[in-house]
Amino acid sequence: MKLIIKVKEKIEKSKNIIIAGHINPDGDTVGAGLALLLGLEKKYPEKKIEFVLQDSIPKNISFLKGSEKIKKIEEVINPNYDLAILVDSATIDRVGTVFNLVEDVFKINIDHHISNSKYGDINIVKEISSTSEMMYTILKELDVEMTLEMCEAIYLGLVNDTGNFAHSNVTDKTFLVASELMALGVNNNKIVNEFFKTKSFEKMKVLGTALSEMVFVENKKLMYFNLSAKKLKSLNAVKDDTEGVVEELINYSGSEVSLFLREDENGKIKGSLRSKYNADVNKIAALFGGGGHIKAAGFTSELSVDEIIKKVVENL
Ligand code: 5GP
Ligand code: MN
């Protein structure tokens, strides 16, 4: 039986559905999950459907209509779910504490990461630009009517994961989806302005600090920047304000790989990696228990900053 038919059957049999995405949610997780939430709510008004995340969504995504419906885990009152749909999450632990709500529930895993561990009872895992691009096709196959709110959410997911249609994960199909979304009413300039051109003063300062304090490891063509918790605080910035730094570091003509390290409140180090040409940063992230894609990956580690940098340099 075609996977999508199984998915449809499972949705139709379920009464209480949870949609979940990864910690530190980005535009793709939110876009794909929100489009699914709004679509299922419209098609199946009798069902209870919740989109639950461990963390708040970034400020520059909260303009999406319907995003106010996304619940943080502490707002969940009566779980009792009979179906969990996980989006943009390569492994089950990527959902963070939401794991406790989905552990014993039938799982549909919808994702586009090369490192996906196929943890679902049904796995729809494809190498494609974004989970949002996949979601567009899935929603059409589920005969869900696309509203403008859903189209905007998906468009934002595409913009997020393709770097506004610039990365190597863009295909002719990606543009076709974008074109269909625009035909359905999406204003691309509005989405891009809201998403990229609404940086806080603190975010600009973080970027400036990164660009003036970055370090280049010549023999590995690696550009890196480490942001301590103390420095983040002194800039009056929050985690959200560090989004996009790793993409700037790879813009240097000499860089082939960029690494951004951020110390979180719990002392752990969050790492983000990008690759311009052939270096496989998914493999590097995996050395620290993380993953992602060949050209964009991440991890969280308990090692020290020096140990992390040493290990990355040794393995490039
Ligand atoms: P970012 O560097 O923007 O956080 O993430 C880049 C890519 O790697 C995204 O596709 C993201 O989902 C994935 N990623 C980031 N952090 C982790 C992690 O800790 N574990 C895994 N498996 N993937 C990650
Ligand atoms: Mn994604």
Side-chain angles (χ1 to χ4, degrees):
M1 202 197 314
K2 258 188 95 182
L3 271 185
I4 196 71
I5 298 173
K6 278 198 207 168
V7 169
K8 194 167 185 180
E9 275 185 10
K10 201 65 209 170
I11 291 173
E12 289 187 343
K13 277 194 201 137
S14 304
K15 293 196 175 80
N16 196 353
I17 302 172
I18 177 170
I19 300 167
H22 61 77
I23 55 172
N24 302 319
D26 62 6
D28 189 31
T29 292
V30 173
L34 181 58
L36 182 62
L37 172 75
L38 298 175
L40 293 183
E41 273 184 348
K42 189 141 195 274
K43 188 167 166 81
Y44 304 105
E46 72 286 0
K47 296 187 196 298
K48 182 176 160 215
I49 305 157
E50 293 181 317
F51 180 14
V52 184
L53 294 169
Q54 175 192 291
D55 303 317
S56 310
I57 67 169
K59 281 198 286 287
N60 62 341
I61 292 179
S62 59
F63 75 92
L64 285 179
K65 289 203 195 84
S67 65
E68 68 287 349
K69 293 184 177 178
I70 301 173
K71 290 202 164 128
K72 281 190 70 184
I73 184 156
E74 50 275 21
E75 294 171 62
V76 171
I77 301 165
N78 181 17
N80 218 355
Y81 302 112
D82 44 18
L83 175 63
I85 307 179
L86 300 109
V87 298
D88 203 36
S89 304
T91 54
I92 187 67
D93 53 296
R94 289 282 290 148
V95 302
T97 51
V98 176
F99 175 70
N100 299 320
L101 301 181
V102 302
E103 188 176 4
D104 301 321
V105 182
F106 187 96
K107 295 176 195 61
I108 299 176
N109 163 17
I110 303 178
D111 184 40
H112 71 128
H113 291 97
I114 191 170
S115 57
N116 192 287
S117 65
K118 313 255 172 88
Y119 54 83
D121 298 291
I122 298 177
N123 299 289
I124 309 189
V125 178
K126 248 177 98 175
E127 260 198 73
I128 186 169
S129 75
S130 53
T131 307
S132 297
E133 185 179 336
M134 270 172 92
M135 193 57 79
Y136 180 72
T137 310
I138 291 172
L139 288 168
K140 284 217 305 200
E141 288 177 346
L142 291 174
D143 300 311
V144 173
E145 189 196 331
M146 298 294 294
T147 63
L148 181 58
E149 286 75 23
M150 292 160 65
C151 292
E152 288 187 333
I154 290 175
Y155 196 90
L156 180 81
L158 291 181
V159 168
N160 187 100
D161 272 26
T162 62
N164 204 10
F165 303 95
H167 296 335
S168 60
N169 56 3
V170 174
T171 64
D172 52 344
K173 179 77 199 325
T174 316
F175 280 115
L176 262 179
V177 170
S179 163
E180 286 186 29
L181 293 169
M182 284 188 72
L184 288 165
V186 170
N187 178 338
N188 72 317
N189 185 244
K190 182 191 109 178
I191 303 278
V192 168
N193 279 349
E194 293 276 4
F195 187 55
F196 289 116
K197 300 185 181 173
T198 48
K199 291 188 170 84
S200 65
F201 191 77
E202 292 75 24
K203 193 165 184 170
M204 302 295 281
K205 285 284 187 190
V206 168
L207 193 56
T209 307
L211 294 179
S212 59
E213 295 181 11
M214 62 196 178
V215 179
F216 188 55
V217 182
E218 180 88 46
N219 62 339
K220 300 287 177 167
K221 299 188 165 50
L222 167 72
M223 185 70 89
Y224 75 83
F225 174 63
N226 163 50
L227 186 64
S228 66
K230 206 170 135 200
K231 185 85 192 180
L232 185 80
K233 205 161 173 230
S234 76
L235 292 168
N236 211 5
V238 291
K239 252 180 1 187
D240 231 32
D241 296 321
T242 65
E243 200 58 45
V245 168
V246 73
E247 273 93 18
E248 283 297 330
L249 298 177
I250 196 114
N251 283 343
Y252 171 51
S253 61
S255 318
E256 291 194 7
V257 175
S258 65
L259 168 69
F260 171 60
L261 299 175
R262 182 189 69 213
E263 183 191 355
D264 283 341
E265 313 85 56
N266 56 13
K268 289 189 192 168
I269 307 291
K270 157 77 189 155
S272 284
L273 285 152
R274 296 292 184 271
S275 163
K276 202 187 281 176
Y277 304 119
N278 300 318
D280 180 349
V281 291
N282 174 53
K283 276 198 190 142
I284 307 276
L287 299 171
F288 304 95
H293 311 281
I294 289 171
K295 295 196 170 191
F299 60 86
T300 299
S301 173
E302 291 184 4
L303 295 178
S304 72
V305 168
D306 288 346
E307 285 168 326
I308 294 172
I309 293 168
K310 185 162 175 273
K311 207 162 165 176
V312 171
V313 169
E314 275 171 5
N315 285 280
L316 273 176

